[in-house]
């Protein structure tokens, strides 16, 4: 700010880290928000005396939901449940996936920063050990791998291609019905032989591709956006064989994370899919009522840069 740098981006992750383990409304979590508020206040004050005009925009990439972890509530992990239903050995990965991503980023920063030898090598070694879980298809003895991203479970089965719901029914007939019927599972999602996307619950199923519902819609309690975002997730080439989403309490919004986290995000339910975007009134004017997904958010932020003259408009580029 003092140097007049054109654009500045800063990440503040304290609240996210603390709320994961303490919960959203604990005093230590709220203290982190209070500290962040003071920091933003200091930046705003400093911006007032900077050599150029600055506009402060604050956003979160997601919200956070709360609830008793699945393993604590039902005395078994999602991996244990899959192993029981499949009568197979299952590798349950309960380390924080988000933490591995941050470790990957730090290791990359260290390596690219020219810090040689022992420091960069050690960072890479630590990351490698943290990510030693074999990827499906890497070896003949691949395990079935189950991991959690908040209250979203990802089930990767053996082989170098995704298995359809029909193939799963043939090989492990109890798996999908057993997961869908568990009291802690809201729905299971996968693709059929024709590539169609399905969400399956204890009382019915929904063809996400066509919108047709048989019995009770398993996505009814997850918001109007649930089918859209779930379909996108299922169509990703790197998607697992099955997505498993925990139930959400209709009154409190509580979910049950498949990791050992009190506060979580990654799936559907509660406040985790409600992010925050704050900015100067003139930049926020005319925004769509709802911004859904990183793609739409990117367009909004680029439009802000264009309106400030920090980026050429589409018309001038053409």
């Amino acid at each position: 700010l003092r140097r007049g740098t054109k654009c500045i981006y800063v990440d503040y992750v304290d609240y996210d880290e603390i709320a994961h383990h303490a919960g959203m409304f604990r005093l230590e979590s709220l203290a982190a928000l209070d500290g962040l508020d003071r920091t933003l206040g200091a930046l705003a004050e400093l911006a007032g005396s900077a050599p150029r005009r600055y506009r402060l925009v604050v956003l979160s990439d997601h919200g956070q939901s709360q609830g008793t972890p699945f393993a604590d509530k039902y005395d078994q992990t999602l991996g244990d449940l899959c192993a029981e239903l499949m009568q197979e050995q299952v590798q349950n990965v309960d380390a924080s996936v988000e933490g591995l991503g941050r470790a990957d980023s730090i290791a990359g920063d260290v390596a690219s920063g020219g810090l040689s030898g022992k420091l960069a090598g050690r960072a890479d070694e630590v990351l490698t050990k943290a990510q030693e879980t074999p990827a499906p298809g890497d070896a003949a003895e691949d395990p079935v791998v189950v991991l959690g991203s908040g209250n979203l479970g990802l089930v990767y089965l053996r082989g170098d291609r995704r298995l359809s719901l029909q193939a799963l029914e043939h090989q492990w007939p109890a798996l999908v019905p057993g997961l869908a019927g568990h009291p802690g599972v809201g729905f299971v999602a996968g693709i059929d032989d024709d590539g169609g996307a399905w969400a399956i619950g204890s009382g019915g199923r929904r063809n996400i591709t066509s919108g047709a519902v048989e019995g009770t819609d398993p996505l009814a309690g997850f918001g109007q956006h649930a089918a859209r975002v779930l379909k996108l997730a299922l169509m990703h080439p790197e998607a697992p064989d099955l997505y498993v989403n925990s139930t959400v309490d209709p009154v409190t919004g509580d979910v049950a994370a498949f990791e050992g986290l009190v506060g979580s995000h990654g799936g559907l339910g509660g406040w985790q899919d409600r992010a925050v975007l704050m900015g100067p009134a003139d930049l926020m004017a005319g925004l769509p009522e709802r911004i859904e997904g990183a793609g739409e958010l990117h367009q909004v932020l680029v439009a802000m840069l264009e309106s400030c003259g920090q980026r050429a408009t589409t018309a001038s580029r053409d």
Side-chain angles (χ1 to χ4, degrees):
L1 286 168
R2 288 193 183 279
R3 288 196 303 266
T5 302
K6 184 177 178 181
C7 293
I8 304 170
Y9 300 88
V10 184
D11 289 334
Y12 296 98
V13 299
D14 295 23
Y15 173 78
D16 188 64
E17 289 283 356
I18 296 170
H20 272 320
H21 300 285
M24 297 186 296
F25 303 116
R26 288 287 293 270
L27 289 178
E28 51 266 49
S29 302
L30 298 179
L33 286 181
D34 189 49
L36 175 58
D37 192 53
R38 289 195 301 272
T39 299
L40 294 174
L43 293 176
E45 184 176 357
L46 180 57
S49 60
R52 67 183 301 146
R53 185 187 187 195
Y54 281 103
R55 321 298 299 283
L56 271 64
V57 176
V58 181
L59 63 94
S60 68
D61 54 345
H62 51 72
Q64 194 159 158
S65 296
Q66 188 164 293
T68 304
F70 185 90
D72 293 344
K73 192 170 185 178
Y74 298 105
D75 295 322
Q76 64 179 166
T77 66
L78 178 61
D80 294 335
L81 176 59
C82 290
E84 179 183 297
L85 295 170
M86 299 172 71
Q87 295 297 298
E88 294 255 6
Q89 194 167 18
V90 169
Q91 184 168 353
N92 190 70
V93 181
D94 54 9
S96 171
V97 177
E98 187 172 295
L100 292 179
R102 188 167 300 124
D104 190 20
S105 175
I106 293 170
D109 289 344
V110 169
S112 63
L115 297 177
S116 69
K118 296 180 180 178
L119 182 56
R122 179 60 182 155
D124 185 60
E125 178 186 347
V126 170
L127 176 64
T128 300
K129 288 183 177 179
Q131 294 177 317
E132 275 180 350
T133 302
D138 279 356
E141 296 298 323
D142 281 340
V144 174
V145 177
V146 176
L147 59 88
S149 176
N151 72 317
L152 180 68
L154 297 86
V155 181
Y156 290 93
L157 302 165
R158 297 187 186 91
D160 56 2
R161 64 183 181 86
R162 290 171 67 185
L163 297 181
S164 68
L165 292 168
Q166 291 90 336
L168 291 170
E169 183 179 8
H170 175 75
Q171 192 161 353
W172 297 287
L175 179 59
V176 172
L179 288 172
H182 190 279
V185 173
F187 64 83
V188 180
I191 58 173
D192 60 23
D193 283 340
D194 298 322
W198 289 83
I200 302 168
S202 59
R205 58 173 59 203
R206 175 171 177 161
N207 185 322
I208 304 173
T209 304
S210 69
V213 175
E214 303 170 9
T216 303
D217 185 357
L219 300 182
F222 293 92
Q224 295 182 354
H225 64 294
R228 293 194 300 275
V229 298
L230 184 56
K231 181 180 178 181
L232 288 173
L234 284 165
M235 293 300 109
H236 280 306
E238 65 273 21
D241 298 270
L242 288 175
Y243 283 116
V244 183
N245 203 97
S246 87
T247 51
V248 54
D249 189 297
V251 177
T252 65
D254 281 7
V255 302
F258 297 119
E259 306 174 86
L261 301 175
V262 178
S264 67
H265 52 83
L268 288 166
W271 294 348
Q272 62 189 309
D273 49 1
R274 300 180 191 179
V276 172
L277 173 64
M278 297 190 297
D282 60 322
L283 292 185
M284 301 290 286
L287 292 187
E289 183 177 344
R290 181 183 183 88
I291 302 171
E292 187 173 292
E296 290 184 14
L297 178 60
H298 174 74
Q299 293 174 3
V300 167
L301 297 178
V302 167
M304 288 183 177
L305 289 173
E306 292 176 347
S307 70
C308 293
Q310 297 282 14
R311 192 164 181 168
T313 65
T314 303
S316 65
R317 285 197 301 269
D318 291 343

